[in-house]
Amino acid sequence: MQLVHTVAEMLALSRNWPLGQKIGFVPTMGYLHQGHLSLVAEANRQCDITVVSIYVNPSQFGPNEDLSRYPRDIDRDLQLLSSYKVDYVFFPDNAQMYPPDYHSWVSVDGLSNVLCGASRPGHFKGVATIVLKLVNIVKPNLMFMGEKDFQQVAVLTAMLKDFNLDCRIVPCPIVREADGLAMSSRNVFLTAEERGQALCLSRAISLCQMLYAQGERNTSPMIDAASLIISQMGGKLDYIHIVDPASLQDIDIAEDNSRIILAVFIGKTRLIDNSALKA
Ligand code: AMP
């Protein structure tokens, strides 16, 4: 496992990827958990060379968000990655990614403006920009991303297609704690009491799944029931929607694979979760 700090070094490697080898890439913001590691394992399964990036991208955080306190521990991350076949860890600093003469930004219209994009203006501009840069620097064939960030996968899939990039996203399932909480680097912020409250996200999803399995198809009563359980368990709803999985637009009548997707504040910590509805 080789640690790569600069864009120049990473480009020197990626411009000479061995012919015929499949390059898998797992972009992360570090403070790794089993969710991230499941992506690395999948990259190992599908690819010959695996690259992981660790970079807390400042441009995807709003001015009042948690950039400064976002958890970071590179030694712990490298230790966790050492159990996998990771060929390169790209670990640039801000000067590498956004030098003082930096000018360019990527906007993915439509898909970026709903859900998390509506609550976090500019978030997906930062995400799309950094991922376009990373794809150009790492030159992967496949990029492994978690469905935990369902909208992110939709936005970036559109970007890769629109810009005719030779890279495909492999969406991977959400990894959860035993009690249902979706793993997230931000879970470390939760106090013991908040850790209990945080179960409201997966419980709200399960409730909608149950109603759907019982034959409910109108989204409005499902959303009402989910919202109620969230407030009863102490969460503060940011948004909850049942959407078409491709357009991310609200739907009135759910069908199989419609996506329930939500963001909830637990204390100061904003958590997200989602799931496909299945009969
Ligand atoms: P992050 O470090 O939060 O930017 O996440 C890096 C990648 O890991 C993204 O593709 C996320 O969707 C993915 N990821 C984060 N949490 C999970 C999880 N619980 N299960 C599966 N993938 C995840």
Side-chain angles (χ1 to χ4, degrees):
M1 187 162 80
Q2 187 183 328
L3 197 55
V4 180
H5 289 278
T6 68
V7 172
E9 251 181 299
M10 194 67 238
L11 277 172
L13 290 160
S14 68
R15 286 182 178 132
N16 294 298
W17 287 138
L19 220 60
Q21 296 263 287
K22 198 168 265 184
I23 314 302
F25 179 39
V26 181
T28 81
M29 298 206 301
Y31 213 74
L32 303 179
H33 50 66
Q34 288 304 320
H36 298 112
L37 297 173
S38 73
L39 307 179
V40 176
E42 193 55 33
N44 281 176
R45 270 192 287 276
Q46 296 196 29
C47 299
D48 304 297
I49 293 177
T50 297
V51 183
V52 174
S53 67
I54 298 178
Y55 178 60
V56 181
N57 172 37
S59 74
Q60 70 189 67
F61 289 77
N64 299 317
E65 293 183 356
D66 55 358
L67 172 62
S68 61
R69 63 185 198 116
Y70 195 84
R72 295 164 169 87
D73 190 340
I74 184 68
D75 294 332
R76 178 178 169 276
D77 289 346
L78 295 177
Q79 181 63 41
L80 287 168
L81 290 175
S82 67
S83 307
Y84 296 79
K85 190 184 109 36
V86 177
D87 298 276
Y88 302 99
V89 177
F90 182 45
F91 180 54
D93 63 14
N94 290 336
Q96 284 292 314
M97 299 313 281
Y98 299 104
D101 60 344
Y102 192 82
H103 298 284
S104 306
W105 300 98
V106 178
S107 146
V108 181
D109 293 346
L111 292 171
S112 289
N113 304 332
V114 296
L115 308 172
C116 282
S119 304
R120 305 180 69 188
H123 171 66
F124 286 111
K125 176 177 152 193
V127 169
T129 300
I130 198 66
V131 171
L132 177 60
K133 285 167 67 66
L134 289 168
V135 166
N136 282 328
I137 294 165
V138 173
K139 307 188 193 308
N141 303 105
L142 297 178
M143 187 155 58
F144 295 82
M145 306 198 106
E147 287 186 331
K148 159 94 189 318
D149 298 271
F150 189 77
Q151 185 175 12
Q152 174 168 279
V153 171
V155 167
L156 295 175
T157 300
M159 182 194 73
L160 295 176
K161 177 170 171 281
D162 290 347
F163 288 155
N164 309 102
L165 292 164
D166 234 347
C167 171
R168 188 167 62 76
I169 293 178
V170 180
C172 300
I174 301 175
V175 178
R176 297 177 180 279
E177 303 286 356
D179 60 6
L181 178 67
M183 290 192 187
S184 163
S185 305
R186 288 186 169 96
N187 291 350
V188 72
F189 293 141
L190 301 171
T191 64
E193 189 195 359
E194 289 171 348
R195 177 64 183 76
Q197 295 172 338
L199 290 178
C200 70
L201 286 93
S202 53
R203 295 270 168 85
I205 289 174
S206 301
L207 182 58
C208 287
Q209 293 280 17
M210 194 186 77
L211 293 171
Y212 185 77
Q214 288 170 353
E216 181 63 79
R217 291 295 177 270
N218 289 305
T219 55
S220 148
M222 288 194 260
I223 288 173
D224 288 348
S227 305
L228 185 63
I229 199 171
I230 288 164
S231 62
Q232 282 172 343
M233 290 179 70
K236 189 169 159 294
L237 192 62
D238 179 4
Y239 69 74
I240 179 164
H241 292 269
I242 298 177
V243 299
D244 174 88
S247 70
L248 304 183
Q249 294 298 309
D250 285 337
I251 51 175
D252 294 329
I253 306 295
E255 54 188 62
D256 277 16
N257 288 324
S258 297
R259 206 87 189 178
I260 171 156
I261 183 158
L262 72 166
V264 177
F265 283 97
I266 305 295
K268 283 191 179 132
T269 306
R270 184 177 175 279
L271 300 178
I272 58 172
D273 203 346
N274 70 85
S275 178
L277 289 175
K278 299 266 187 230

